[in-house]
Amino acid sequence: MSFDAEFRNQQFKSVGSRPLRPDGIDKVTGRARYGADFNMPGQLVGRVLRSPHAHARIVRIDTSRAEAVKGVKAVVTAADLPDLTNGDAELLHILDNCMARTKALYDGHAVAAVAAIDAKAAREALKLIEIEYEVLPHVVDVDAAAQSDAPLIDETLFTGGVEPKPAKPSNVANRSEFGHGDVDAGFAQADVIVERSFRTEQAHQGYIEPHACVASCNPDGTADMWVCTQGHFVYRQICADLLGLEVSKLRVTSSEIGGGFGGKTHVWAEPVALALSRKAGRPVKLVMSRDEVFRASGPTSATSIDVKIGARKDGTITAAVAHLRYTNGPYPGMWAELGAMTSFACYDLENVKTVGYEVLVNRPKVAAYRAPSAPMAAFAVESAIDELAGKIGMDPVAFRIRNAAKEGTKSSYGPVYGPIGIGPTLEAAQSHPHMSAPLGPNQGRGMACGFWFNFGGQTCTDLNVNADGTVTLAVGTVDVGGSRASLSLIAAEELGIAYDDVKAVVADTATLGYNDMTDGSRGTFSSSMATISAARNAIDVMRHRAALTWDIPVEDVVWEDGHAKARGENYGNLAPLSVKDIAAESGKTGGPIAGHSELVADGAGVSFATHICDVEVDPETGATRIIRYTVIQDAGKAVHPSYVEGQYQGGAAQGIGWALNEEYIYGEDGRLQNPGFLDYRIPVCSDLPMIDTQILEIPNPNHPYGVRGVGETSIVPPLAAIGNAISNAVGVRMSHIPMSPPRIRAALDGGAGS
Amino acid sequence: MASVSVSTTLNTDEVEFLCQADETLLDVLRNRLGLMGAKEGCGTGDCGACSVIMDGRVVCSCLVLGAEAQGKTIETIEGMAQGSELHPLQKKFIEHAALQCGVCTPGFLMAAKALLDANPSPTEEEIRFWLAGNLCRCTGYDKIVRAVADAAAEMRGEAS
Ligand code: FES
Ligand code: FES
């Protein structure tokens, strides 16, 4: 059935209110079950052995002594995960990352795993696995890895995206380019040019719940998995491909998820758990330790970025260029490409060019982290924009407003924008009381903008009207932060019933059609679209049932305010039928009532934000405190404003941590020095002020209610907003993230930003 | 290794269990007693997801041995509600949307309860420093601090 997704301006009854979330009670009473909170009869404990070397050839593995340990039921290595990827390089990289095949490519790379009756036996067995390594030279630094004399991570890799094909292999996996116009001509027209290089260090998503799963392979070739993931359908597909299972035979249930932020969109240990279970013939529970989470799962890229922007004295940007080098870990990705696409997306530019380089290094495989790749590019660009405004003598907000993208602007990455929120967020910032509040000594104010695309994608939803008129909504997008509440509001709105009459659940892979991940801020956007579509289909069924009850043509039955109503003069005495009325009779009028929907949610509206931040820098220690923070972002339509605010605040806090503290620190030996929350310090409660939010609503024309994704953009501006604030507080331009006390001290001493 | 026999008071019930001498209280709660509300976020005392109250003090149960529970009074998230009546902190966390993923929530509730038991009218600063041992990666803490302050006000009998 075709679905009309066009935005229709309407008065909302449910959408925009703030009801209690349906999973709240479970989560405040300890009853909610996360990845590690599930057990199966006869379950074994799985443990993974990891490489202590950043780069080493695996010469020999001997597992015999480990297998002999009492209580050990299976030991697996790469030999137990044969290559079934059929020439699919990306899939092979996932397999190799789950279990090193010929080389260990980073400190923490899995090389073997055991399943035993308890943790003690498993630990003992790990110690008895003998591995002979031939240690190879390694490289962890992005710029060093891009040099032609760097140790090669993959000897068969030639830089893609360049013509002609290079003669020598390289750690630069790919080059991508975006832009339009003539940047040389643009710079020739500039009165002032700012050119600067920036670096950002690698940060981790830092979800509090480590990766966890329980895998169970059965003798008949079927398998079950319980797992914390942002996308159980995608995990099913990848695990089935890697293990040679038919997709229908692997049933994956997503647990409650204790944070993901992109890090739980990639499989890590799940195929290993399945391989262990297959070999042992028993269910296996595999839970990562925090050390493993840091060493072996999802950090973002470290980057090195050069930016050059020119403007006329009147404040018009004439040309902008960025070269962006992003670490990918040991396998090719598209992280620099995303950085190159997002760099200048906030601005309306005549001449713009961005070039991204994907750089392989001996660090864990990079995973998405909330608006992946955009914060680093925004740090570089928004710092340079601020500096340029200063040189021209313009207010930084006014300068940005003058150059802001608007409806009809050809974006720097290609598409032409529809109605967008960058201008409105800037204007809201300009008139926000925060902008004119007084500042004390050593304090400074900064602001910056951010952009994220947002995604839509494949989505499938079931809406069942129960006999008592209440509604069960089964969705396939994992609820990472309140989407069951939002989607219940959407169903209630479309059907015209009370929020409390809708119960949303996340269905497993056997009970609903395929759904893409909850990523790209798509959860509420795409599932709300599918929910509206499913509700409209259910309404059609209910109109037919009412027509049958009244014995009138269905064309004469309309749906209004949660009721079927007979339209036309002849039907004056027919009382409207509510959902409850119709549901109560459903057994007699044709059976159960349901609405189903499967669609590709197109038209995710792009998202923009402007952040304002006040800092106080202690010039003696170089320590920075955030004393006030304001997030202004376009939500399209805030379905449940409390959870929209929560996304804004959470993203800002993650950005603050990254800006001031968080970084992967490697030793000379290529080993990660700080794989724990003590030394990789994320913001705690006493580090932060309240985070004020202002929600703007510029409707997305491609969604019936105007909804845009809201989850990611909030992490994009903080790095630059804080850098700009520090610059205004103590007069040094910071160019290296995190802006930790030693870096600020060094900048104060030497005037350089690193 | 021989097992240790332990008697303790857990959420007002007398409980006995056997555990290994090197087994943490967190593992005992989760694996032996079926109380999975306390979470392991780090296992090293850095995240607070495993917080429980022992003899009135918040502790990281990953840093306490099961054997140390002998003769002590332990409170966990599972004992916070009185029957079907939620504790004001639990109610306010839901009302204020003070949880997103919720994995940190049991630990925060335990820590916040110990705070309000000791100090019924904490300032924002006192709340922030008291809760500084509990990590939340989702919320930015804003709504958590508000929920705790509001619960404190309600428990003092002030209208919110
Ligand atoms: S698990 Fe105990 S403090 Fe993190
Ligand atoms: S709500 Fe997710 S860690 Fe706190």
PDB file of all heavy atoms in Angstrom, chain A residues 230-231 233-234 456-459 476-478 514-519 522:
ATOM      1  N   GLN A 230      22.424  -2.306  18.777  1.00  0.00           N
ATOM      2  CA  GLN A 230      21.572  -1.259  18.205  1.00  0.00           C
ATOM      3  C   GLN A 230      20.787  -1.776  17.004  1.00  0.00           C
ATOM      4  O   GLN A 230      19.993  -1.044  16.429  1.00  0.00           O
ATOM      5  CB  GLN A 230      22.423  -0.060  17.797  1.00  0.00           C
ATOM      6  CG  GLN A 230      22.936   0.738  18.972  1.00  0.00           C
ATOM      7  CD  GLN A 230      23.899   1.835  18.573  1.00  0.00           C
ATOM      8  OE1 GLN A 230      25.075   1.771  18.889  1.00  0.00           O
ATOM      9  NE2 GLN A 230      23.411   2.849  17.872  1.00  0.00           N
ATOM     10  N   GLY A 231      21.067  -3.036  16.600  1.00  0.00           N
ATOM     11  CA  GLY A 231      20.352  -3.535  15.432  1.00  0.00           C
ATOM     12  C   GLY A 231      20.404  -5.042  15.355  1.00  0.00           C
ATOM     13  O   GLY A 231      21.331  -5.616  14.802  1.00  0.00           O
ATOM     14  N   PHE A 233      18.566  -7.141  13.708  1.00  0.00           N
ATOM     15  CA  PHE A 233      18.408  -7.719  12.367  1.00  0.00           C
ATOM     16  C   PHE A 233      19.743  -7.712  11.615  1.00  0.00           C
ATOM     17  O   PHE A 233      20.077  -8.648  10.895  1.00  0.00           O
ATOM     18  CB  PHE A 233      17.343  -6.948  11.578  1.00  0.00           C
ATOM     19  CG  PHE A 233      15.953  -7.144  12.111  1.00  0.00           C
ATOM     20  CD1 PHE A 233      15.435  -6.290  13.068  1.00  0.00           C
ATOM     21  CD2 PHE A 233      15.160  -8.203  11.678  1.00  0.00           C
ATOM     22  CE1 PHE A 233      14.159  -6.467  13.579  1.00  0.00           C
ATOM     23  CE2 PHE A 233      13.886  -8.395  12.181  1.00  0.00           C
ATOM     24  CZ  PHE A 233      13.381  -7.526  13.142  1.00  0.00           C
ATOM     25  N   VAL A 234      20.503  -6.651  11.799  1.00  0.00           N
ATOM     26  CA  VAL A 234      21.800  -6.562  11.131  1.00  0.00           C
ATOM     27  C   VAL A 234      22.787  -7.553  11.758  1.00  0.00           C
ATOM     28  O   VAL A 234      23.535  -8.240  11.058  1.00  0.00           O
ATOM     29  CB  VAL A 234      22.344  -5.119  11.197  1.00  0.00           C
ATOM     30  CG1 VAL A 234      23.728  -5.035  10.589  1.00  0.00           C
ATOM     31  CG2 VAL A 234      21.382  -4.168  10.493  1.00  0.00           C
ATOM     32  N   GLY A 456      17.290   7.400   7.155  1.00  0.00           N
ATOM     33  CA  GLY A 456      15.960   6.796   7.228  1.00  0.00           C
ATOM     34  C   GLY A 456      16.132   5.291   7.196  1.00  0.00           C
ATOM     35  O   GLY A 456      16.564   4.683   8.150  1.00  0.00           O
ATOM     36  N   GLY A 457      15.828   4.677   6.057  1.00  0.00           N
ATOM     37  CA  GLY A 457      16.155   3.270   5.902  1.00  0.00           C
ATOM     38  C   GLY A 457      14.991   2.327   6.090  1.00  0.00           C
ATOM     39  O   GLY A 457      13.840   2.731   6.287  1.00  0.00           O
ATOM     40  N   GLN A 458      15.322   1.016   6.015  1.00  0.00           N
ATOM     41  CA  GLN A 458      14.302  -0.032   5.992  1.00  0.00           C
ATOM     42  C   GLN A 458      13.683  -0.222   7.375  1.00  0.00           C
ATOM     43  O   GLN A 458      14.391  -0.349   8.366  1.00  0.00           O
ATOM     44  CB  GLN A 458      14.927  -1.351   5.544  1.00  0.00           C
ATOM     45  CG  GLN A 458      15.559  -1.283   4.172  1.00  0.00           C
ATOM     46  CD  GLN A 458      16.096  -2.629   3.759  1.00  0.00           C
ATOM     47  OE1 GLN A 458      15.345  -3.587   3.617  1.00  0.00           O
ATOM     48  NE2 GLN A 458      17.405  -2.715   3.589  1.00  0.00           N
ATOM     49  N   THR A 459      12.368  -0.270   7.365  1.00  0.00           N
ATOM     50  CA  THR A 459      11.653  -0.288   8.630  1.00  0.00           C
ATOM     51  C   THR A 459      10.376  -1.101   8.486  1.00  0.00           C
ATOM     52  O   THR A 459       9.720  -1.044   7.449  1.00  0.00           O
ATOM     53  CB  THR A 459      11.283   1.143   9.060  1.00  0.00           C
ATOM     54  OG1 THR A 459      12.430   1.966   8.905  1.00  0.00           O
ATOM     55  CG2 THR A 459      10.822   1.186  10.497  1.00  0.00           C
ATOM     56  N   GLY A 476      10.831  -2.749  15.246  1.00  0.00           N
ATOM     57  CA  GLY A 476      12.077  -3.492  15.045  1.00  0.00           C
ATOM     58  C   GLY A 476      13.314  -2.649  15.227  1.00  0.00           C
ATOM     59  O   GLY A 476      14.422  -3.106  14.987  1.00  0.00           O
ATOM     60  N   THR A 477      13.113  -1.407  15.645  1.00  0.00           N
ATOM     61  CA  THR A 477      14.264  -0.555  15.942  1.00  0.00           C
ATOM     62  C   THR A 477      14.474  -0.559  17.452  1.00  0.00           C
ATOM     63  O   THR A 477      13.542  -0.309  18.213  1.00  0.00           O
ATOM     64  CB  THR A 477      14.031   0.894  15.465  1.00  0.00           C
ATOM     65  OG1 THR A 477      12.728   1.313  15.863  1.00  0.00           O
ATOM     66  CG2 THR A 477      14.139   0.982  13.955  1.00  0.00           C
ATOM     67  N   VAL A 478      15.699  -0.850  17.856  1.00  0.00           N
ATOM     68  CA  VAL A 478      16.028  -0.948  19.273  1.00  0.00           C
ATOM     69  C   VAL A 478      15.827   0.413  19.947  1.00  0.00           C
ATOM     70  O   VAL A 478      16.163   1.442  19.389  1.00  0.00           O
ATOM     71  CB  VAL A 478      17.484  -1.426  19.417  1.00  0.00           C
ATOM     72  CG1 VAL A 478      17.963  -1.321  20.845  1.00  0.00           C
ATOM     73  CG2 VAL A 478      17.621  -2.851  18.901  1.00  0.00           C
ATOM     74  N   TYR A 514      12.502  -7.339   8.385  1.00  0.00           N
ATOM     75  CA  TYR A 514      13.817  -6.726   8.558  1.00  0.00           C
ATOM     76  C   TYR A 514      13.730  -5.234   8.918  1.00  0.00           C
ATOM     77  O   TYR A 514      12.915  -4.492   8.373  1.00  0.00           O
ATOM     78  CB  TYR A 514      14.619  -6.883   7.262  1.00  0.00           C
ATOM     79  CG  TYR A 514      15.968  -6.223   7.329  1.00  0.00           C
ATOM     80  CD1 TYR A 514      17.052  -6.878   7.913  1.00  0.00           C
ATOM     81  CD2 TYR A 514      16.157  -4.930   6.844  1.00  0.00           C
ATOM     82  CE1 TYR A 514      18.290  -6.274   7.994  1.00  0.00           C
ATOM     83  CE2 TYR A 514      17.391  -4.313   6.915  1.00  0.00           C
ATOM     84  CZ  TYR A 514      18.459  -4.993   7.496  1.00  0.00           C
ATOM     85  OH  TYR A 514      19.677  -4.380   7.583  1.00  0.00           O
ATOM     86  N   ASN A 515      14.581  -4.840   9.833  1.00  0.00           N
ATOM     87  CA  ASN A 515      14.740  -3.419  10.160  1.00  0.00           C
ATOM     88  C   ASN A 515      16.219  -3.069  10.166  1.00  0.00           C
ATOM     89  O   ASN A 515      17.039  -3.840  10.678  1.00  0.00           O
ATOM     90  CB  ASN A 515      14.191  -3.114  11.557  1.00  0.00           C
ATOM     91  CG  ASN A 515      12.690  -2.956  11.570  1.00  0.00           C
ATOM     92  OD1 ASN A 515      12.168  -1.851  11.517  1.00  0.00           O
ATOM     93  ND2 ASN A 515      11.980  -4.077  11.621  1.00  0.00           N
ATOM     94  N   ASP A 516      16.552  -1.907   9.635  1.00  0.00           N
ATOM     95  CA  ASP A 516      17.924  -1.426   9.766  1.00  0.00           C
ATOM     96  C   ASP A 516      18.198  -1.109  11.239  1.00  0.00           C
ATOM     97  O   ASP A 516      17.311  -1.139  12.077  1.00  0.00           O
ATOM     98  CB  ASP A 516      18.134  -0.170   8.903  1.00  0.00           C
ATOM     99  CG  ASP A 516      18.286  -0.529   7.423  1.00  0.00           C
ATOM    100  OD1 ASP A 516      18.737  -1.640   7.112  1.00  0.00           O
ATOM    101  OD2 ASP A 516      17.943   0.330   6.585  1.00  0.00           O
ATOM    102  N   MET A 517      19.447  -0.750  11.493  1.00  0.00           N
ATOM    103  CA  MET A 517      19.897  -0.397  12.845  1.00  0.00           C
ATOM    104  C   MET A 517      19.174   0.833  13.406  1.00  0.00           C
ATOM    105  O   MET A 517      18.698   1.657  12.647  1.00  0.00           O
ATOM    106  CB  MET A 517      21.354   0.047  12.775  1.00  0.00           C
ATOM    107  CG  MET A 517      22.302  -0.995  12.361  1.00  0.00           C
ATOM    108  SD  MET A 517      22.861  -1.766  13.847  1.00  0.00           S
ATOM    109  CE  MET A 517      23.993  -2.941  13.139  1.00  0.00           C
ATOM    110  N   THR A 518      19.247   0.983  14.725  1.00  0.00           N
ATOM    111  CA  THR A 518      18.981   2.291  15.301  1.00  0.00           C
ATOM    112  C   THR A 518      20.290   3.059  15.222  1.00  0.00           C
ATOM    113  O   THR A 518      21.144   2.979  16.103  1.00  0.00           O
ATOM    114  CB  THR A 518      18.516   2.182  16.757  1.00  0.00           C
ATOM    115  OG1 THR A 518      17.299   1.436  16.781  1.00  0.00           O
ATOM    116  CG2 THR A 518      18.259   3.558  17.354  1.00  0.00           C
ATOM    117  N   ASP A 519      20.489   3.721  14.093  1.00  0.00           N
ATOM    118  CA  ASP A 519      21.664   4.566  13.930  1.00  0.00           C
ATOM    119  C   ASP A 519      21.287   5.711  13.009  1.00  0.00           C
ATOM    120  O   ASP A 519      20.179   5.732  12.472  1.00  0.00           O
ATOM    121  CB  ASP A 519      22.870   3.782  13.392  1.00  0.00           C
ATOM    122  CG  ASP A 519      22.669   3.282  11.969  1.00  0.00           C
ATOM    123  OD1 ASP A 519      21.570   3.487  11.406  1.00  0.00           O
ATOM    124  OD2 ASP A 519      23.596   2.689  11.410  1.00  0.00           O
ATOM    125  N   ARG A 522      17.897   7.502  13.261  1.00  0.00           N
ATOM    126  CA  ARG A 522      16.751   7.081  12.481  1.00  0.00           C
ATOM    127  C   ARG A 522      15.658   6.430  13.305  1.00  0.00           C
ATOM    128  O   ARG A 522      14.535   6.270  12.826  1.00  0.00           O
ATOM    129  CB  ARG A 522      17.185   6.112  11.386  1.00  0.00           C
ATOM    130  CG  ARG A 522      17.604   4.739  11.884  1.00  0.00           C
ATOM    131  CD  ARG A 522      17.955   3.819  10.727  1.00  0.00           C
ATOM    132  NE  ARG A 522      16.807   3.370   9.978  1.00  0.00           N
ATOM    133  CZ  ARG A 522      16.027   2.334  10.320  1.00  0.00           C
ATOM    134  NH1 ARG A 522      16.266   1.666  11.421  1.00  0.00           N
ATOM    135  NH2 ARG A 522      15.008   1.980   9.564  1.00  0.00           N
TER     136      ARG A 522
END
